[in-house]
């Protein structure tokens, strides 16, 4: 435990934010991003409010991306806990989600009322096509960033075949894929 | 009863959501459309489109699905289900994390997860195209979006979405 605390340098920056500051800070992050808000979280935490340094941010983000689940929500929990303990860990994600959830619920009610109307259906179809394109682009970018492509791309093919073509349940596919793929990565890391 | 089912389904999914809610799209579809028949294909793609166009983290697609299935309670149950388990876990783990950072097994998992996450996002894209039953015009929009987004990363996706919405409104997709 004591070593863990040694490794986290004290924040070289501003005084610890209050619960109110955490709530509104993360609200602004949640409301400013479309299709992912991580860059905005970084801008707020590191550049605008200086609640953490860039190195601290990267280290904490590492843990969030290592674990499954919504990365930004996990990050809010970490930052909240760090400055205001349990209450902070509750208030920061609440701030992050409250505004966007309210907006999306208003949109959902509108959809319930007008969703069957042909122009709305056409509009959503256009949006879905763009959303689909953004996903393909994102996959392409992620695939380009993978090191040792000839070793690891087969696992991408495996995942697409199992999920998109064969419609197998995700938990089993991920467990199997992760075991073999990480095992292989562990082995290649040892050869260096 | 349905609220508990929703919460448990989404809580279970959160443990395999490597790459966040986006990577979870195919499984969300399998569970809510194919398995439980809570939604149909068209509604599912519409909800995805709305979530894309609204500000906020990607988790919101779960909020929308929850709302369509069981109203306000459903929206909360689905959102909490997806967020709570990992939040609790991370709350407990964060102080121990530094000790293990950089170790070989950790690097190995990070390397190993990446190609699977790519596969999940790719499957999500394929799934939206299938569920929305895209034809000629829609595929052109998909392709143009991919090219513009990769060539001009500074171009805000919101502009592309606005263009897509207007083209969609004109009909013929």
């Amino acid at each position: 435990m004591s070593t863990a605390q040694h490794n986290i340098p004290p924040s070289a920056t501003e005084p610890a934010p209050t619960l109110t500051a955490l709530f509104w800070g993360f609200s602004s992050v949640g409301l400013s991003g479309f299709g992912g808000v991580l860059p905005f979280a970084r801008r707020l935490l590191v550049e605008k409010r200086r609640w953490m340094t860039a190195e601290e941010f990267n280290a904490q983000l590492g843990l969030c991306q290592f674990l499954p689940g919504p990365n930004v929500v996990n990050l809010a929990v970490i930052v909240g806990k760090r400055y205001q303990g349990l209450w902070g860990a509750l208030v920061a994600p609440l701030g992050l989600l409250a505004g966007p959830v309210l907006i999306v619920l208003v949109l959902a009610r509108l959809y319930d009322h007008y969703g069957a109307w042909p122009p709305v259906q056409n509009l959503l179809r256009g949006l879905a096509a763009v959303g689909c394109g953004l996903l393909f682009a994102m996959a392409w970018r992620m695939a380009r960033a993978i090191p040792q492509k000839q070793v690891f791309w087969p696992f991408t093919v495996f995942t697409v075949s199992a999920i998109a073509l064969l419609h197998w349940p995700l938990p089993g596919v991920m467990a199997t894929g992760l075991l073999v793929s990480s095992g292989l990565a562990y082995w290649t890391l040892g050869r260096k | 009863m349905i609220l508990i089912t929703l919460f448990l389904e989404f809580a279970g999914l959160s443990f395999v959501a490597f790459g966040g809610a986006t990577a979870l799209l195919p499984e969300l579809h399998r569970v809510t459309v194919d398995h439980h028949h809570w939604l149909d294909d068209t509604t599912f793609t519409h909800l995805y489109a709305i979530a894309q166009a609204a500000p906020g983290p990607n988790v919101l697609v779960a909020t929308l699905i929850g709302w369509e299935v069981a109203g306000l309670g459903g929206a909360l149950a689905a959102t909490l289900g997806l967020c709570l388990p990992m939040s609790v876990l991370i709350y407990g783990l964060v102080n121990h994390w530094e000790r293990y950072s950089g170790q070989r097994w950790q690097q190995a998992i990070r390397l190993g997860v990446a190609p699977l996450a790519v596969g999940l996002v790719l499957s999500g894209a394929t799934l939206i195209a299938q569920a929305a039953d895209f034809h000629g015009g829609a595929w052109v929009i998909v392709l143009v979006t991919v090219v513009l987004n990769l060539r001009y990363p500074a171009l805000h996706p919101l502009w592309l979405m606005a263009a897509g919405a207007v083209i969609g409104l004109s009909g013929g997709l």
Side-chain angles (χ1 to χ4, degrees):
Chain A
M1 269 307 265
S2 60
T3 47
Q5 269 141 12
H6 273 291
N7 285 343
I8 302 174
S11 185
T13 43
E14 301 290 310
T18 60
L19 283 177
T20 324
L22 280 173
F23 183 87
W24 290 113
F26 275 97
S27 289
S28 74
V29 169
L31 288 169
S32 49
F34 287 81
V37 296
L38 261 184
F40 297 92
R42 190 198 157 84
R43 193 177 299 169
L44 173 95
L45 294 170
V46 179
E47 288 158 32
K48 266 170 71 184
R49 302 288 170 85
R50 293 155 142 246
W51 289 342
M52 50 195 353
T53 65
E55 292 74 36
E56 289 171 289
F57 180 83
N58 288 343
Q60 308 292 19
L61 189 64
L63 173 59
C64 297
Q65 289 175 332
F66 184 78
L67 291 172
N71 294 335
V72 195
V73 179
N74 291 347
L75 186 70
V77 171
I78 291 182
V79 176
K81 178 187 183 184
R82 173 177 164 148
Y83 290 115
Q84 295 292 338
L86 182 59
W87 283 108
L90 289 169
V91 160
L94 198 69
L96 178 74
L97 291 172
V101 163
L102 279 179
I103 292 177
V104 126
L105 287 181
V106 170
L107 291 175
R109 296 214 60 170
L110 288 173
Y111 176 69
D112 288 344
H113 281 278
Y114 303 106
W117 199 40
V120 173
Q121 298 233 333
N122 289 338
L123 182 147
L124 288 172
R125 210 171 154 72
L127 268 180
V130 171
C132 176
L134 290 174
L135 284 182
F136 276 119
M138 181 180 174
W140 175 259
R141 232 179 259 128
M142 286 164 72
R144 293 282 308 268
I146 289 175
Q148 295 173 277
K149 297 183 176 56
Q150 67 282 19
V151 179
F152 289 107
W153 275 1
F155 290 99
T156 303
V157 177
F158 160 76
T159 311
V160 173
S161 316
I163 300 289
L165 299 180
L166 300 170
H167 300 281
W168 287 352
L170 184 64
V173 174
M174 280 308 279
T176 316
L178 200 58
L179 207 68
V180 181
S181 159
S182 302
L184 194 65
Y186 192 83
W187 182 69
T188 55
L189 284 169
R191 285 200 314 169
K192 276 175 192 166
Chain B
M1 197 52 223
I2 195 163
L3 292 186
I4 298 171
T5 315
L6 253 178
F7 177 83
L8 290 179
E9 283 283 8
F10 280 70
L13 290 185
S14 73
F15 287 93
V16 281
F18 289 95
T22 311
L24 217 49
L25 272 180
E27 186 68 4
L28 285 174
H29 181 270
R30 206 184 60 82
V31 169
T32 59
V33 180
D34 298 340
H35 183 63
H36 285 293
H37 305 291
W38 285 331
L39 310 167
D40 60 26
D41 267 341
T42 316
T43 313
F44 187 87
T45 48
H46 286 168
L47 296 182
Y48 168 69
I50 295 172
Q52 273 285 313
N58 296 324
V59 199
L60 293 177
V61 71
T63 314
L64 279 168
I65 291 175
W67 167 271
E68 283 304 313
V69 175
L72 187 60
L76 295 178
T79 314
L80 272 180
L82 209 51
C83 297
L84 204 59
M86 281 307 138
S87 297
V88 172
L89 198 65
I90 214 163
Y91 185 87
L93 270 180
V94 64
N95 288 343
H96 307 276
W97 171 251
E98 301 281 323
R99 243 194 312 187
Y100 300 113
S101 72
Q103 287 195 3
R104 186 172 158 197
W105 63 268
Q106 220 184 57
Q107 285 177 289
I109 294 180
R110 198 187 303 244
L111 271 173
V113 161
L116 302 173
V118 175
L120 290 182
V121 175
L122 216 74
S123 304
T126 317
L127 173 105
I128 295 295
Q130 271 175 355
D133 195 18
F134 285 160
H135 298 296
W139 276 115
V140 173
I141 294 193
V142 172
L143 200 70
V144 170
T145 304
V146 172
V147 172
L148 287 178
N149 189 242
L150 289 176
R151 290 289 299 267
Y152 307 100
L155 177 67
H156 200 290
L158 214 50
W159 292 111
L160 295 171
M161 282 190 250
V166 170
I167 297 171
L169 248 186
S170 72
L173 280 189

